[in-house]
Amino acid sequence: MRSTKKNIFYKTDEEVALMRHSNLLVSKAHATVVPYIRPGVKTIRLDQIAEEFIRDNDAVPGFKGYGGFPYTLCISVNEAVVHGMPSDYELKEGDIISIDCGVLANEFYGDSAYTYCVGEIAPETKKLLEVTKEALYLGIEQAVVGKRLEDISFAVQQHCERKHGYGVVRELVGHGVGRQLHEGPEVPNFGKRGRGVKLLDGLVLAIEPMINLGTRNVNKLSDGWTIITADKQPSAHFEHSVVVRKGKADILSTFEFTEAAIKNNKELTSIA
Ligand code: MG
Ligand code: MG
């Protein structure tokens, strides 16, 4: 979320260990929800399952009550980019559903998002999801000591916009994460190589490409939260929380559990 400039905090190894736990819970919350994603399920049901899992693990939903948001998950279907609200909407074959989950445990947040394919989806949409996920990892490759913030931004934009012609959302950005869900610096998905703050050891970033099949332009729905594409074409969102380290970023969240769960759910399609 783009807002006023926030402070940057560098984490100690002890704090990183706590954040690894919070992000493990986020990653497992995703995997816990996956068996229930299928045509006919109401998205509010997925929210209830995630909340129960998080509370059963001595943690609290990180988004619930944040800025007044009333749910555990942000659930954004098809043309919804991010910040979608769980509802009585029933998923149908061919939908894509971005689930963003935040957890607060031991005073630290975890934050990770994944976009799921309900049944068979259009090949061009599947490609959008795969490229967005690739862009996330290309961004993460830049999250190393000595690089600058917009090296991450540039890598994402280069892959999605210049190489594949997709729309890179400008209004929403990744962020630092820690004791606050949104800390500095902002992590845009567009930018110039070599610009922005120098990346130092212990900085934890939520890197989260939000990429549209068509126009980059977005609108907010009258619910006050849901961001949708201006042309109503699909949008993809993948997010990891990562620690900047020397040589290689340390990824605190993981898609390992959720992708294993996708493979076990024959109502879902896996992406590369
Ligand atoms: Mg998130
Ligand atoms: Mg985030």
Side-chain angles (χ1 to χ4, degrees):
M1 215 177 295
R2 193 173 267 284
S3 52
T4 50
K5 208 166 174 157
K6 295 188 169 72
N7 290 331
I8 295 175
F9 301 94
Y10 300 92
K11 276 73 181 180
T12 63
D13 288 351
E14 291 74 17
E15 290 171 331
V16 167
L18 294 174
M19 292 196 72
R20 196 182 306 284
H21 174 72
S22 301
N23 278 287
L24 189 64
L25 286 181
V26 165
S27 305
K28 289 185 169 173
H30 271 276
T32 302
V33 164
V34 165
Y36 300 89
I37 306 177
R38 57 181 144 67
V41 75
K42 290 179 173 152
T43 58
I44 189 74
R45 178 78 186 115
L46 305 177
D47 191 72
Q48 291 158 351
I49 290 157
E51 178 166 5
E52 192 178 308
F53 173 83
I54 291 164
R55 294 197 190 279
D56 282 351
N57 283 278
D58 304 317
V60 293
F63 299 164
K64 200 164 189 168
Y66 188 89
F69 189 78
Y71 299 104
T72 293
L73 301 177
C74 291
I75 297 188
S76 309
V77 178
N78 296 332
E79 72 271 18
V81 180
V82 287
H83 304 166
M85 316 248 282
S87 71
D88 284 334
Y89 174 80
E90 291 182 8
L91 292 175
K92 59 183 194 316
E93 172 94 14
D95 281 348
I96 56 167
I97 165 179
S98 147
I99 296 183
D100 194 351
C101 183
V103 160
L104 177 62
N106 305 308
E107 293 175 24
F108 285 90
Y109 283 92
D111 188 9
S112 179
Y114 196 94
T115 304
Y116 300 91
C117 307
V118 182
E120 286 292 310
I121 63 164
E124 59 174 8
T125 305
K126 187 164 184 254
K127 182 78 183 168
L128 169 72
L129 266 52
E130 288 172 344
V131 168
T132 304
K133 191 177 138 187
E134 285 163 11
L136 167 61
Y137 286 101
L138 290 169
I140 290 171
E141 273 179 28
Q142 300 296 315
V144 293
V145 173
K147 295 270 187 182
R148 286 186 181 267
L149 185 84
E150 290 190 28
D151 290 327
I152 300 170
S153 313
F154 176 84
V156 172
Q157 183 180 17
Q158 181 74 10
H159 193 60
C160 297
E161 197 171 87
R162 300 191 188 94
K163 188 163 172 207
H164 290 280
Y166 296 142
V168 174
V169 176
R170 300 299 202 268
E171 290 83 351
L172 299 136
V173 295
H175 50 94
V177 58
R179 289 183 190 273
Q180 301 296 322
L181 180 58
H182 296 123
E183 299 180 349
E186 293 189 341
V187 186
N189 294 303
F190 58 95
K192 286 201 167 65
R193 219 180 234 162
R195 202 167 66 174
V197 295
K198 207 169 223 176
L199 299 178
L200 303 178
D201 192 71
L203 177 64
V204 185
L205 299 173
I207 301 176
E208 48 181 317
M210 291 158 261
I211 309 298
N212 302 343
L213 187 60
T215 179
R216 74 189 199 196
N217 297 324
V218 297
N219 296 312
K220 193 190 274 185
L221 288 185
S222 57
D223 63 17
W225 285 100
T226 314
I227 305 295
I228 63 162
T229 57
D231 60 8
K232 308 280 179 69
Q233 291 205 74
S235 181
H237 180 212
F238 290 84
E239 176 183 31
H240 273 316
S241 296
V242 310
V243 192
V244 171
R245 293 299 195 200
K246 221 182 211 172
K248 194 171 192 291
D250 181 3
I251 308 177
L252 298 178
S253 44
T254 173
F255 296 150
E256 186 188 337
F257 307 114
T258 210
E259 291 188 337
I262 292 169
K263 286 204 174 70
N264 285 326
N265 180 345
K266 55 185 191 312
E267 310 271 14
L268 302 184
T269 300
S270 293
I271 61 159

